Amino acid sequence: MSTVAVEVVYRGIFQKTLARNIVRTIVFAARKEGKIGTAFGRYGDSPERNGIPAKQFAIVSDSPEELEENLAVYEAGEVDVTINVDDTMCKGIESWAWYGLQPINALTKPGGTLIVTSRQEADALIEDIHQKDSPFNLAIVPATTSFSGLWVYKDDHTDVRILGALAKVCPELVSLDSMVAALEDQGWGGLKLTSARNSFDRTTQRPVEPGEGNDETPFTFELLGWRAMEDGLVIRGIDGATGFRGGSLAEDYDPIRSNASGDTDYQPTRNSVFKKFSTRSMRPVINFETCIKCTLCWLQCPDTCFDVTPDGLYDANMDACCGCAVCEAVCPVPDCITMVNEAEFNDNDSQWEHWTRDKDGYEKWMTELIEVQKAHDADSERSHGYHSPGKYEAESESEVALTGDDD
Amino acid sequence: MATETLPQTEREELISGSEAIAIACSLADVDVITAYPIRPYDTVMQYVSKLKADGAFDCDFIVAESEHSQFEIVKHASAVGARTFCGSSGVGWFYAFEAITVTAGLRLPVVAMVGNRALDDPGAFGVEHNDAMAVRDLGWMLYWVGTAQEAFDIALLAWRIAEDPRVFLPMAISCDGSFLTHSQAIVNVPTQEQVDRFLPQYDRGRLQLHPDNPITVAPQVNEDWLMEIRRQTDDAMRRSSDVIREAYDEFKQLFGRGDDSPFIEEYMTEDADIVLVGMGTLAMPVRVAVRRMREQGKKVGFVRVKFFRPFATDEIREALSHCKAVGVIDRDYSYGSPSYGGVLFNEIRSALYTLDNRPLMQSFIAGLGGREVLVRDVEEMTSMVQDSIDSGQVKEENTWIGVRE
């Protein structure tokens, strides 16, 4: 008698099909061994939003009665394996439905495994992953984060590589042979099966001890009871905008004219418990030296994340930025705003403050980041999904070469 | 038990309740399907359009410009003799209400899926039963589904029952949002041959709107006629019970699965002191809780009401006549109702009024807006019912469970 629960943490739009392929194949593979299972997405999620962290689950049991026991709680309290298909979510995730940061390994049970697709080393990932009171294992599937669109799928073998790794780290779930048989049933063969088997052979686990990792306390907030809530579905507005970093606004401040002309510092109102940064897989890096103060980034940002600094520059607030890259697209100055892989950063600190404090240091930091990113771009590193016909085929080729080869 | 089960040629699929109903549509060879997106019902239209795009299903699939048009189109299609399917959720279902109310009055056997959803505002996707419940007085048959397999099975049954000339009434299949519409389970899907053997063609006979059969449908009537027309619909609903039993028995014979009764599912009720009652997917945590409490020696059972309309008065009376107390768990609300109880609670209490030995009755409101009904919630409710038995009276007739104070 046993039940195994697996969750797949993925990014909305870009990875919905990937997550679905994984959880469904788990259930098919379990059927090969006479077990029964179910696969479902967390209903409170809204995976039709770019990049939003979301979850799908697969629950596998020996018998229908046992499955019912485990489904009596819809979202599992703990899982045997957490699969994270984008390493930037190691910093924690906030779903569309649930405001508060949840560590990536929050549901991973003591002694369970967190599988991450990443090109980073284990130590770098553990720096991001929140500490737990109990030990768990970290397994890395070496891969560039696989992003597709809602209607197109990049068949770069990430799905089968994860499933191969899963059979290795959680043998009580299903055997590799059952996993491969389930893949064959879905019409997959040849190199994809080789990828799954190679991933099984090559996957290793690194034990993570209690207390090891990121020691930040994830932000949370309290849900009110019905007696304390205001009647009539009313939510009070938050106190208005201020000058930069809470200063007072200029006397002749006008919300449109003043900001557009950049002659006053300004910071919009933000909800302190509604941060959206875990949606971000890339962030803008700004060259304040070449900024011409045209206001376009400030104007076009869908999340109002730019603060106007006292010197009329625009500082992207990293608690509010979703990483949509609109600012990079609308900026008329070459390389003034560059989207860089979120994995390169360990905090949400202000870039403008960094630049003001140490202009040379900032220049060096920024230049290095941009160079690394450009090198990655040439190698199809990380991007926001589908852009042109043939793109996925080209990207898949380099990915498959990572593990798809025969030894 | 099944005596003449067909060979086991069913295929196994990993699908949601919505996908199961979409596949049932294709096997039932539905002629006209109308759609308008609203979560969670939209999962059905996604699967129907996929089947159609894949060339696996030939039907007129019309994405209307609103729910109102959606239900008007199937109403008219049904009048000319087309087998029809549509559906909606929450306020979308309410937007179609003018069409929904007349569908029953015109005796049109439209089959609709209601993906149960809270009535916005506030915006919420999660399950509440108030949306589908709104047709309870209007001549729609109303069924609450427990599993994805049952969603498939009842869809086939729905056309068979609704299109029976003794009935000719529409039927709504209620599926809890999320738990049924978005969870994939193993479902046995029969062959076309099996389905064809069970489900005859829709034949509207002398009521078919057709140039060869010149008729007028739905003229203006006033007090001279209306009461007789209402009485006809009432009689059709009364007749539907026998048709349901007949169809269900045949379904069990052909497909080899089903409960003792098409109307209710009884679970460990025989010797139970306390019987809990509920509808839809909350049956899952309730059954688990009942098993656990049984292990502790507590005599608890469960009745899942499947058909809410027609309401199986006799069967429910029989099932609840031997226990000391009944706790009804409503996934709905009825503000200002008798005892502030849920809709199901008051229906059940009414059905039991004529019993010689009436059990104590207690109402619980739980799981609104998709909040989970947990095993410990069920245990808490049971213990409150036990307190009532011990003290010989019900102190709080209605309690909200799992609400933040």
Side-chain angles (χ1 to χ4, degrees), chain A residues 262-338:
Chain A
D263 62 2
T264 183
D265 54 320
Y266 171 80
Q267 191 166 321
T269 310
R270 293 198 183 91
N271 186 329
S272 62
V273 290
F274 181 37
K275 302 172 195 283
K276 294 166 281 183
F277 63 85
S278 72
T279 302
R280 182 174 71 222
S281 56
M282 300 177 88
R283 73 163 69 170
V285 169
I286 298 165
N287 186 344
F288 297 100
E289 304 285 353
T290 58
C291 171
I292 58 169
K293 304 182 180 179
C294 71
T295 77
L296 283 176
C297 59
W298 171 80
L299 202 59
Q300 298 284 346
C301 173
D303 294 290
T304 326
C305 83
F306 284 91
D307 296 336
V308 188
T309 68
D311 43 359
L313 292 164
Y314 298 91
D315 186 30
N317 181 301
M318 284 301 130
D319 274 350
C321 171
C322 291
C324 70
V326 165
C327 54
E328 182 192 43
V330 299
C331 180
V333 180
D335 295 339
C336 180
I337 300 181
T338 309

Side-chain angles (χ1 to χ4, degrees), chain B residues 284-303:
Chain B
M284 197 177 276
V286 175
R287 275 195 298 259
V288 171
V290 165
R291 283 202 290 273
R292 289 190 194 167
M293 290 187 285
R294 283 273 170 180
E295 280 166 18
Q296 299 160 15
K298 295 176 186 159
K299 289 185 176 176
V300 186
F302 175 58
V303 169

